[in-house]
Amino acid sequence: MTDAPAHPRLLGPNEVRDLSERLGVSPTKKLGQNFVIDPNTVRKIVRLAGVSAGDRVIEIGPGLGSLTLGITEVGADVTAVEIDRRLAAELLQTARAMQPEVFADPDAPRLRVIHTDALDLSAEMLLAAPQPPEVLVANLPYNVSVPILMHLLELIPGLRGGLVMVQAEVGHRIAAGPGSKEYGAPSAKAAWYGDWRIAGSVSRRIFWPVPGVDSVLVGYEKRAQPRGDERERALVFELVNAAFAQRRKMLRQALQPVLGELDVAVATIEAAGIAPTARAEQLGIDEFLAIAREHLARGDVR
């Protein structure tokens, strides 16, 4: 007599397709959905993210729950944000069936689901959790991955780190440094919050449907000390937007919409220790901060 096979604790190809068929759900390009169907990749993501028992994780776009179950499997708490009403409603049932221990304490379940667009997520919506999330782990919707990431970093300042799966092109932009061809506004803004790195790549074949683009894992570690206050951050991001909106122009021209007339812009940039003839891709986030602080010190903010 042989032992019965263990009940699956993570979603594989069969479970994903069965759930999709039962719910009448087809992944859509509009929502940037591609469901992960490989348990080994899920466990790799959780391991690379450094998630362990007791961690408080926020996940965006859990879909059918492939990555969610990988996070709860190691004993972490998850707040999952899902835009699709059917998927949001089903996720709790899937977790209850495959990992009942997640709900062992009915007063403090280790999985909570918020049904909303991630870009509409607010601090008030997160108050249902006993404590705020501290780690971001997500397969971000590819069509809005950067706006979601920036929204979360601003909304949850307590995020100490994380790992996100994004389109390869986007991931390399996020992790890029000054002077590289991928460096742009997302790179500079991400650097405000901490250090970013490419943590690995994933095969297209771990998704259903198979996407037409490659994907990478991007890791994040929060800075030990904030770079500046909220007023400075807002001004720095305004400078970054202006600089990269006209990245072929010198800073003395590109930053005029923020700094003012040419002579004022030149004086401010020079006082920050930066050449007015430099271009956006040459500046790191600390250089943008230096310009912002000089602008604030001069009382030029309108």
Side-chain angles (χ1 to χ4, degrees):
M1 181 177 178
T2 58
D3 293 335
H7 185 73
R9 294 175 56 78
L10 300 184
L11 297 177
N14 293 336
E15 290 81 15
V16 167
R17 290 189 171 91
D18 287 347
L19 272 171
S20 298
E21 183 176 348
R22 180 164 62 80
L23 294 173
V25 171
S26 295
T28 68
K29 288 186 178 181
K30 179 181 178 181
L31 297 180
Q33 292 172 320
N34 293 93
F35 297 147
V36 179
I37 60 174
D38 179 50
N40 290 330
T41 298
V42 166
R43 290 189 171 108
K44 171 185 174 182
I45 292 171
V46 174
R47 174 174 51 80
L48 290 175
V51 173
S52 58
D55 285 345
R56 304 184 304 276
V57 177
I58 184 165
E59 182 191 6
I60 304 301
L64 295 170
S66 299
L67 183 54
T68 314
L69 294 172
I71 300 168
T72 54
E73 184 184 47
V74 300
D77 289 17
V78 179
T79 297
V81 181
E82 175 56 57
I83 191 173
D84 188 304
R85 183 179 300 276
R86 293 166 299 175
L87 297 178
E90 186 66 22
L91 182 56
L92 291 172
Q93 302 308 316
T94 300
R96 196 179 298 277
M98 300 185 74
Q99 295 180 15
E101 72 277 8
V102 170
F103 303 93
D105 183 350
D107 295 324
R110 290 198 289 107
L111 173 61
R112 289 163 293 279
V113 181
I114 300 175
H115 170 230
T116 189
D117 186 325
L119 292 172
D120 293 330
L121 184 67
S122 66
E124 289 73 23
M125 294 177 183
L126 295 172
L127 290 178
Q131 297 184 68
E134 57 182 345
V135 183
L136 168 64
V137 183
N139 172 23
L140 292 178
Y142 282 9
N143 54 348
V144 287
S145 54
V146 170
I148 288 176
L149 190 58
M150 293 301 146
H151 176 58
L152 292 175
L153 290 167
E154 181 180 352
L155 179 68
I156 314 173
L159 285 177
R160 59 175 172 80
L163 190 80
V164 295
M165 182 157 49
V166 295
Q167 184 177 338
E169 179 185 347
V170 173
H172 285 287
R173 281 210 307 270
I174 293 169
S180 63
K181 63 180 182 180
E182 296 93 353
Y183 185 69
S187 325
K189 291 178 180 179
W192 173 270
Y193 298 100
D195 298 323
W196 299 82
R197 71 191 189 283
I198 301 298
S201 59
V202 292
S203 168
R204 297 185 185 191
R205 299 203 170 276
I206 65 110
F207 296 103
W208 175 69
V210 177
V213 295
D214 293 321
S215 304
V216 295
L217 303 173
V218 185
Y220 163 65
E221 185 175 350
K222 180 184 176 182
R223 279 178 56 84
Q225 296 295 328
R227 275 198 157 84
D229 60 27
E230 177 55 26
R231 187 186 187 201
E232 289 172 331
R233 184 203 65 80
L235 180 54
V236 166
F237 281 22
E238 191 177 355
L239 290 167
V240 168
N241 287 339
F244 283 99
Q246 303 184 76
R247 62 186 302 157
R248 293 182 182 275
K249 292 187 176 181
M250 298 177 185
L251 292 177
R252 64 189 183 191
Q253 298 165 299
L255 296 185
Q256 282 188 55
V258 182
L259 300 181
E261 297 297 329
L262 180 61
D263 58 338
V264 175
V266 169
T268 303
I269 297 167
E270 286 181 336
I274 297 158
T277 54
R279 289 178 170 80
E281 62 268 19
Q282 297 174 266
L283 270 62
I285 193 63
D286 289 326
E287 285 74 32
F288 281 109
L289 177 57
I291 296 172
R293 285 178 170 164
E294 184 62 31
H295 186 52
L296 290 169
R298 288 166 171 260
D300 294 331
V301 179
R302 295 184 294 275

